[in-house]
Every structure is written in C-alpha cells, then in structure tokens.
Amino acid sequence: MASNYLNIIEPIIKKYDGKKEAIISILQDVQTQLRWLPGDVLALISKKLKIPLSSLYSIATFYKSFYLKPRGENLVTVCLGTACHVRGASLILDELERKLKIKSGETTQDHKITLECVNCVGACALGPIVIVNDDYYGQMTKVKVDKLVDHLLGKKE
Amino acid sequence: MVRINNFNDLERIRKNILEKRVLEKITITICNGTGCQAYGCQRLTEHFLAKINQNGLKEKVEIRKTGCHGFCERGPIVVIQPEGIFYQRVKIEDIDEIIEKTVEHKMVIDRLLYEEPITGKKIIKEKEVPFYKKQLRIVFGKNGLIDPTSIEDYIAIGGYEALLKVLRDMKAEEVIDEIKRSGLRGRGGAGFLTGLKWEITRKNISSNPSLGGYIVCNCDEGDPGAYMDRSLLEGNPHLVIEGMAIGAYAIGVNKGFIYVRNEYPLAVKNASIAIDQAREVGLLGEDIMGSGFNFDLTIVRGAGAFVSGEETALIASIEGRRASPRPRPPYPAEQGLWAKPTNINNVETWANVPIIISNGSDWYKNIGTETSKGTKIFSLVGKINNTGLVEVPMGITLREIIFDIGGGIPRGKKFKAVQTGGPSGGCIPKEFLDLPVDFEKLTEVGSMMGSGGMIVMDEDTCMVDVARYFLHFTQEESCGKCVPCRIGIRQMEKILREITEGKGTLKDLQTLETLAYTVKNGSLCGLGQTAPNPVLTTLQYFREEYEAHIKEKRCPALVCKGLINYFIEPEKCVGCLLCLKNCPSEAILGGYKMIHVIVQEKCLKCGACLEVCPKKVSAVVKISGEKREGPKEPILVDEWRRKR
Ligand SMILES: Cc1cc2nc3c(=O)[nH]c(=O)nc-3n(C[C@H](O)[C@H](O)[C@H](O)COP(=O)(O)O)c2cc1C
Ligand code: FES
C-alpha cells in the first residue's frame, strides 16, 4: 500500500516543486485521486515535505473539503445555502437522513452513499437542490427525494 | 493566434478576427453558466452541435457557449444572433424546430419566448425582457456575448484595449488617479476606495522596492446565496485578468494570485484556460505588448472555509496555513503575502477597472449616488419570481429590484423582508422598500452591501428561524481563534434554537441583545464583528415574531417544527389514502373514503402529507398555537358529513 501511495504522492509534490506553501493544493490533488486522505498518506507527505504531521492534521481538519474518512461510491450533497434554506432545504435533508438512515457527513454501511451538506452551489434558481455526484436535481420535494433514493439504492443493488 | 509583440499588434489582430467574423452570419449562443449546467445545457449544446453538423450548416452557423446571462430562473437560455432572439427553458426536443424555423427561415417560435406574467405578452428580444430592462449591465453584460474560453471572442469585443491604453499612454500614478477619481469602491463588502488602497500599496512598495509585492483577486465568495463573483470569473475571465494587469502596473507589482472557492470548479477551469491563453499571446508574462512590463498570475483553490474570504485569513491560506485571521494593522497593504505589501480586491472590483479606464472616470462617476459610484451586481434569490443575477446602478430602490426586475413574489404571497449582506448583513422590512441601494443607505438600516447577496423572503419565512440559520452558519464557520466569536455565537444560537422550539423566555431577548453587542465589539475579525447583525435587525424589525414564539408558542410563518402541527381538515378530506401511504412514521390513521386523522404523538412533522395531498382537495394544513376540532379516529366521510 505504502509504495502505491508513493507513486501517487511523488509526482504531485514534484508538480509543485516540493514547495511547502503549496501544501493545500498538494492535499487537494492527492485527495482527487484517492477520494480521501488516509493517515498513512499524511504521514508520507509529512516526511517528504518535512512538515510536522500535527501541522498537516491542523490543515486537514480545518478546511471542510478534506476527508479523513473514506467516502462512499456516491456522494449525495444537499445545499443548505440561504436561498435553498428559505425554500425548505432542511426538510429535504431530514428526508434524506431518514431514507438513508445516516446523518449528514456519514456514509452508509455498505459504502454506497455518503451524505453531505454545502452552503450554496450557485444554482440558487433551482433551490432546493440536491447534487448526486455531478448531477443537479433542482426544486426538490420529498416525493422527488424518495424517488431519487430508491433509484440510487436500486441501481446499486 | 499569433503573439502580440507591440501595441499595434493587438489592433491588427482584432481587425483580423472581426473580418473573419462578418462571414459567419448566424450565431447560436447557449448559456453554459453553472445555473444552466444544472438544467443540462451541456447536453443541449452537444445536441445542437451534432444537429448543425448533420444538416450541413457548419459553414453558416456558429455555436457559442457563453457565460451566465443572469436570468437563471429561465435556463437553459439560447439566444440567436444577430437578431437577438431570446429563447428560454429550451429542451433537446426543441432543437430541430429552432434550426428549421429560426435558423433557416428566420421565423420566431412563440412557445419558447418569454411571456410577461401579468400581460401575457410574448417578448422576442433579450434586451426587451423586463428582467433586463431596468438593469445597467456595464460589467456583466458582456458575459452573454462571448465564449469565456476564447480569448479571440474577448479581443473581438474590445478586450485588452484598456490595458493597452494604460501601458502605452499612462503613467502608473495617472492610472491610480483615474481610479480614485472614478470613486470606485471595493465590491467585496467593506466598500473601501479602490484607488486609495492602490495608492497606499504602491507607496509601501516604493519605499522598499527590493521587497516587491503582490496583488490578489478574492473569489472566495462564501456568502451562501450569492454567486456573482463566480459568474464573472467563470463567464468573462479575461475581464478580471485585464483588470488585474492594469492594477499590477499601477501598483508596481509583477505577480498576482486569484483565490477561488473550492466549490467553483468551472470558474477554476475557465480562469486557468484564460490565463494560459493570455500568456501564450503575450498579454501576460514578460514584456507585455512590448512595453517592458511583466506580470503573471497563479490560481489558488480554496479548501472550503468561509472565513478564508477575510483578507488576512486569505493570505494565510495562500501561504499554505489554516485560514485564521490576524489582527489588523498591519494591513495587507503594509504586510501581506510573505510579509510583502499586498493589494487584495474582490472579483467585481477588478472587473470594473478596464471599464473605467476605457470609458473614463467622468463617465463612470455619472452612474450611481453621491457616495457610491457605478453599478453593483446582486444575486436576487429566494422567494422571488425571476431568480438570477442583476446588475443595477447604485441608488436604484429595493422595490425596483424586487418588483420590476425580479417580478415580485411567487404565488401571490406577500413580501416580508429582504436579506442583504449575507451572514454579516441584516433583514430589511417592507417599510424600507423605497430605500435607494448604496453602501451608506444599507448600513443605515442595520444591514450592509456585503458582496451582493439579496435573499427575498415572503410571509412563509420565519424571521426567528432565519436569524437562527445565519448564526448556525457563522458558528460553524468561526475559526475558533477568539472567544467572543467562538463561544458567544454558539450561545446566541442556542438561545435562538430554544425560542424556535417554544422554550424561550422574554428575558432571553435581553440576553440575546447583550451577547450580540459583546460579540460585535469583542471579536477579532469581520466574521464575529458582523455575525450578530441578522439577530439585531430581526429583533428590531420583527420583534413581534419573537414574542409570538415565546408568549403564544406560535410560529406565525408556520416554519418552526417544534411549534407547528399538521392537521387534516375533516370538511375537505375525501379519504384517498395518499397521505397515509406517504407518511414515513405511520402517524396517519384512515381508510378508503374515510376521514384521515394524524396521531400527533407519532408525527415527525416532515410535511409529506401536505406535499402529496392533491391541490384540489387541500385538506392538510399547518397550524400553530391553535386547537382544531376533528374526529379522534377515522370515520367514513359520509357518516361525518351526516352528523354535522
Ligand atoms: C468573514 C469575512 C468573509 C469575507 N469574504 C469575502 C469574500 O468572499 N469575497 C471578497 O471579495 N471579500 C470578502 N471579505 C472582505 C475581504 O476581507 C476584503 O475586504 C475584500 O476582499 C477587499 O476587496 P475590495 O476592496 O475589492 O472589496 C470577507 C470579509 C470577512 C470579514
Ligand atoms: S443557496 Fe442553494 S444553490 Fe445557492
């Protein structure tokens, strides 16, 4: 595993000339490939860049786009931005949490679906919005959520 | 494209492009902004391309993917040029007809036109749609004309002319003077005079030239519900790059950064393409247009933290650290990136620069109010008919924006408030609808300009819930460095949550106010200093809503879950079983042709029954603070009616 990780990490570090200040970009690029940041990977980066591991965790836990736990195959994101909120986004989130039996930020036991929230994806005209991987589902209602979840679970079974 | 080696080259290239373009008669522009992408415009564009090829029209017709047109409510938007025929909500099924009728025979398809909601009048041209009529789109208007990934498109409409003018004809001090005279103020929130900021940074750099300095474009745009910065950078990246190059020349730096929010992948992509193109033709890099001036740009992606939009936090983030703000002074203009003087401006601020240089500060000064010059782009969202991005002259009234441009509130509901300034702003009630919008006026009523979010709220929006929503947001986004912000906001949120659950007391309102002032005065950065604003303004203008929650245990807008109940009106229920089948918690009792009853103890208040109850029946209602009489158990509809 470790050598696999090295194959991923080394070219990325090289792309940024091994600069410490590029650490956020480096972590982002690594995460793009692995979908999350395993502890082993952080340890390797820490060694390579000579940045204390604690500093890496300080960064990785501060910014919301870093994941220190594996994510499911599908990412379901609910927008809780203001425009979506006043159009009832919280009820949509409730429904998803209930249907998927997980809370926001969690992954289903079979690792099929991770549920997340964001604050505005800039498509406020379509609110409330749910995004599944890269597909946008606008003007969501509970009935539409149910169909979407059935579809997601069904498709993957 | 060939390299631009001197000032004459740019003009020559533009002429070449324009000459080639005369031949291409018809252009189908398809909006490819994020809003329209969510409606599936990418597939639409692919189908258009395929159809054009199939029909052998490639020589006659050009397909152009443009940036956001602003009218996101009606996407996907397709405009046929040169006539400017405006089609909205276009589907793949419409393509054949558009090509056959409009492209080949210049016929207009009625069905795809925008219809004025009140008069029912169909409107053919984009600029005659009421949504656009009252706007003044000097910055944002070019988005719809160009493909953001084509530097040729930008040059064709006069792009980089302002940079040329500056490099060829103006001294750095003259550029600063021009921007100062224009009265341009920062569009990122605080409204600081841009020319003055440039002058200060320039002075700091001149006093220690060996140190150098930087400029930064702030496209963090964390304000939820605002997306104009993204649409600008995504839809017209060269405009921002040109503005930054002019700024770099005026301030005397050779290096700049564009900091883009993590959630904006398309903006990152388009800006990266634009930078590469500009570099390739010699509009970025060494010796720009043979002037001897060097300037280059790097894009830095944010990583998901609202506070990183604050300038000192942004600096920390670019330097590869946690985005924690630090006390100012020293301001970034003195000690910014890597302790060098750094000038940070918002995307929209930078985008205004080439326009001021091209048209002159005298022209620019004429737009706007005494203290706020030019235009402002607002993202008009929430309970509004025409959701979208609108660019208006400063000084226009809220009423004109919301009712004339925005088309008012959907479903005939009543306007309640408009929230401006994002999590730092406030809620403005209907008494102030005729308020002219500028930096000072919005501050006077307790809100602020902020970055330009404008969220419209109607009678179904609970103001206590809105205040709680914003505090929840700021509480989560607080970096945790200073105590008033980290703990104060959390306590305020807790009190608000209790009020929305019906557990509040009148004394809580006092505590809220005291806490609000402590957080405002004691916090380190703008996040904490402004976080109480949504609470203070709602307490000021909508106190009766707070009191209803506390004294009557009633949520007047029927939003707060803890204070509402769902109820099936026996006079209306026809016993169709729909709500019963859709109830996730088996809280509804009933049977075929029986009046259904909700078991309140089991009800999760998810609202499924209300959503599925057929419109013509409308038996399910939300109630708050009242008791309604109905059968305790399901009973045949006929039997109940007979009894009555
Ligand atoms: C919590 C917080 C968040 C901010 N977010 C942004 C932002 O997303 N975009 C922005 O341009 N300015 C933001 N600002 C303002 C910046 O600190 C800074 O004033 C601005 O970028 C300066 O540019 P301007 O003079 O062109 O307005 C934020 C400020 C605070 C306190
Ligand atoms: S608030 Fe949800 S997309 Fe903007």
Side-chain angles (χ1 to χ4, degrees), chain B residues 265-327:
Chain B
L266 191 60
V268 172
K269 186 172 151 221
N270 288 359
S272 308
I273 295 174
I275 290 174
D276 287 345
Q277 288 173 340
R279 219 179 265 143
E280 212 168 282
V281 300
L283 290 167
L284 278 180
E286 309 246 304
D287 193 18
I288 295 172
M289 292 191 259
S291 65
F293 168 63
N294 311 330
F295 177 60
D296 215 335
L297 273 171
T298 305
I299 293 183
V300 180
R301 282 170 297 161
F306 171 68
V307 74
S308 49
E310 197 278 338
E311 53 190 20
T312 60
L314 185 132
I315 288 170
S317 185
I318 296 181
E319 290 175 356
R321 293 182 283 124
R322 283 167 79 116
S324 295
R326 60 156 175 80

Side-chain angles (χ1 to χ4, degrees), chain B residues 559-570:
Chain B
V559 170
C560 296
K561 261 187 171 179
L563 295 176
I564 59 164
N565 290 109
Y566 288 85
F567 178 74
I568 299 172
E569 295 191 322

Side-chain angles (χ1 to χ4, degrees), chain A residues 28 63-65 80 85 94, chain B residues 302-303 321 465 469 477 561:
Chain A
Q28 279 169 332
Y63 293 102
K64 278 207 280 286
S65 63
L80 291 182
H85 175 78
D94 287 351
Chain B
R321 293 182 283 124
D465 175 66
Y469 167 81
E477 295 293 344
K561 261 187 171 179

Side-chain angles (χ1 to χ4, degrees), chain B residues 489-507:
Chain B
I489 298 176
R490 182 174 286 262
Q491 289 308 316
M492 290 175 71
E493 192 212 342
K494 181 167 164 274
I495 295 176
L496 285 166
R497 201 175 51 236
E498 283 171 3
I499 296 178
T500 60
E501 287 165 355
K503 297 178 200 149
T505 64
L506 283 175
K507 195 162 158 275

Side-chain angles (χ1 to χ4, degrees), chain A residues 78-85 89 118-129 131 136, chain B residues 223-227 381 469:
Chain A
V78 187
C79 176
L80 291 182
T82 323
C84 289
H85 175 78
V118 288
N119 290 307
C120 194
V121 291
C124 314
L126 284 83
I129 286 193
I131 303 160
Y136 290 69
Chain B
D223 175 358
Y227 60 106
V381 299
Y469 167 81

